[in-house]
Amino acid sequence: MTTATTAMTTPHATAAAPAAVSADTTLSVTNLDMHYGAFRALRGINLEVKRHAVTALIGPSGSGKSTLLRCFNRMNDLVPGARVEGQVLFNGEDIYHPSVDPTEVRLRVGMVFQKPNPFPKSVYDNVAFGLRINGFKGNMDDAVERSLRRAALWDEVKDRLKQSGLALSGGQQQRLCIARAVAVQPDVILMDEPASALDPISTLAIEELMRELCRDYTIVVVTHNMQQAARASDWTAFMTMGEDRAGHLVEVGSTQQIFTNPQDERTEGYITGRFG
Amino acid sequence: MTSVYGKHPRAEFDRDLRQLQDELLALGSMAEKAVVKAVDALRTRDLEMSRQVVRDDDAIDRKRAELEDRAVDLIAIQQPVASDLRMLIAALHVSMELERIGDYAEGIGKISLMMGDQPPVKPLVDIPRMAEKATAMLRASLDALVNHDVERAHQVLADDDEVDALYDQVYRELLLIMVQDPKVIERGTYLLWTAHDLERIADRATNIAEQVIYLVTGKHVDPGRVSKY
């Protein structure tokens, strides 16, 4: 296993081998390396993702933000040749342990993608989908309404629940995907550039929603929009790629600190638009 | 720092920031000249020059407003963060300090006009020295700003004690003169006001130095470090 080289001076910094994960940490990453075949995509990642907060992953293209995000719910397992070394603890449990079912992980760690991708089904069925395949036995109408309300979409769609999800606007479709993700009551919601395909008002609505949702969920968001990271997140992690093209973490800190007084000059260069 | 795009993606913004800094220095130079001129006019009893100092303060006020507009525009348009943001915030603070220094110079000009044809109650020795030290502090604080020189900024903070000491001296001396001869109280008071204005100018230079420390380090100067005045 590669030794971590990232110097971190924040509360996020983890010891080489954490004996116990603190209660306010949802995801704890230790010495994580990620390979696609012979290519090392991530190197020596050490990161603690705080519970009920929004953590933003920022950095130039190719710095491994999305790859890291996809390590959190084993989405990379679906890529042939993908291999993970190191540890990702979710509520203290190693999600890469051989006994762990990746489907179970993805149920608890939901994901929202860059382009809204509702199923070609009704608004109602989109939200109910995950619950049905998981054998949900409760009141489905209530569960659907609750999820749509959570995603701040209920008022806009309550009279057209039977309409196709694809008939909604882009911003509404993305909120539908968020409703679909929260329906199965995950602990974590991963968002991979959730607003990059949306207009400015829909973007602000998604950011507002993140602030709302982080009261009950832990959110990790990958974004290229620096203002979005500044507005919507509590913690910011800056990643870049090294000479070997492997993505690694440069600096992690409170969003306030990263955007007013970053400690690493690479972070400063990136957020002020002079590098990367 | 280089960019993967080859060309510096913030070249225009960098040029705007440099220009703003140059404007700030120009304002600093106007304020410094006003102080020097005001004290010279007071010392040489040149009332026309005093009137000019009072008139010229409008130009300083206008320049400060221009600078403020420019900084606000850049904040709105460029959405700066980190050191860029701190630079613009510092520019706003520093332009205000410089404008206030101009006001003190104007105040000294008005004092001189109030004195009219009355001679100063005592030969002016320490007051020009205070002016010299205060303007030197002002120059040093602006140098520190341009060069991001924290050490120089700390030196300005230390120099303020010397101006405070001179102010103490002038104050005691004038008090003594006024106690001995109440007829000169009015003329003595003019010089007290002048000394006070100069002491405040040094304080404003100190504020600029504190802004430099914030700009470079991102940390405010310990408020526990309080000077006498």
Side-chain angles (χ1 to χ4, degrees), chain B residues 16-225:
Chain B
D16 290 341
L17 283 175
R18 270 197 306 277
Q19 205 175 338
L20 189 74
Q21 192 172 281
D22 290 346
E23 297 290 306
L24 210 51
L25 289 183
L27 179 61
S29 164
M30 287 164 82
E32 184 198 339
K33 278 188 188 131
V35 175
V36 171
K37 212 161 157 181
V39 174
D40 264 1
L42 179 83
R43 187 171 49 81
T44 58
R45 306 303 313 120
D46 183 340
L47 295 186
E48 182 42 43
M49 208 203 282
S50 296
R51 265 190 286 275
Q52 205 184 351
V53 170
V54 174
R55 271 199 309 271
D56 287 353
D57 189 53
D58 288 352
I60 293 181
D61 293 352
R62 272 196 302 275
K63 183 95 186 160
R64 181 257 169 129
E66 275 171 31
L67 248 157
E68 204 169 285
D69 288 347
R70 193 78 203 102
V72 169
D73 285 351
L74 285 175
I75 290 171
I77 294 163
Q78 300 286 357
Q79 308 196 341
V81 293
S83 62
D84 293 337
L85 178 61
R86 297 204 304 273
M87 174 63 207
L88 285 165
I89 298 297
L92 285 173
H93 281 290
V94 170
S95 64
M96 186 195 71
E97 301 294 352
L98 293 173
E99 192 255 327
R100 295 294 292 148
I101 288 175
D103 289 346
Y104 290 123
E106 182 193 14
I108 293 170
K110 284 180 174 165
I111 290 167
S112 170
L113 293 176
M114 278 191 273
M115 283 168 69
D117 52 11
Q118 303 171 76
V121 73
K122 72 179 197 79
L124 295 184
V125 179
D126 287 335
I127 281 180
R129 275 177 62 199
M130 280 181 81
E132 214 170 281
K133 280 205 184 304
T135 50
M137 284 169 65
L138 173 59
R139 275 195 305 277
S141 68
L142 292 173
D143 267 357
L145 177 74
V146 173
N147 299 314
H148 289 204
D149 187 341
V150 174
E151 209 173 306
R152 189 112 204 246
H154 275 294
Q155 187 56 49
V156 172
L157 304 195
D159 289 348
D160 189 43
D161 294 342
E162 290 179 32
V163 177
D164 288 348
L166 275 173
Y167 178 56
D168 263 349
Q169 198 173 309
V170 172
Y171 176 78
R172 276 195 304 270
E173 213 177 322
L174 285 168
L175 216 56
L176 201 64
I177 292 171
M178 291 189 283
V179 166
Q180 281 166 351
D181 182 5
K183 285 199 297 294
V184 301
I185 284 179
E186 191 180 352
R187 285 157 63 206
T189 306
Y190 290 143
L191 294 191
L192 257 188
W193 287 345
T194 304
H196 178 72
D197 282 345
L198 291 169
E199 190 277 319
R200 292 300 294 148
I201 289 169
D203 286 349
R204 298 284 172 176
T206 306
N207 291 350
I208 295 173
E210 286 176 354
Q211 280 300 317
V212 173
I213 294 166
Y214 171 72
L215 165 68
V216 179
T217 65
K219 293 188 180 66
H220 292 287
V221 175
D222 178 12
R225 191 215 156 277

Side-chain angles (χ1 to χ4, degrees), chain A residues 27 29 47 68-74 95 105 109 190 220:
Chain A
L27 289 161
V29 181
L47 176 69
L68 178 58
L69 193 75
R70 295 160 73 92
C71 286
F72 295 154
N73 69 347
R74 296 191 55 173
I95 64 167
V105 173
V109 183
L190 307 175
V220 187

Side-chain angles (χ1 to χ4, degrees), chain A residues 34-42 62 67 81-83 241 244-247:
Chain A
M34 155 89 213
H35 290 82
Y36 291 119
F39 172 62
R40 181 157 68 171
L42 292 176
T67 300
R83 185 162 44 88
M241 64 175 126
D244 57 354
R245 304 195 69 75

Side-chain angles (χ1 to χ4, degrees), chain A residues 227 259-261 268 272-274, chain B residues 9-10 14 82-84 86 217:
Chain A
Q227 294 299 322
F259 282 92
T260 56
N261 196 14
E268 170 94 28
T272 61
R274 289 183 178 78
Chain B
R10 288 292 236 177
D14 279 350
S83 62
D84 293 337
R86 297 204 304 273
T217 65

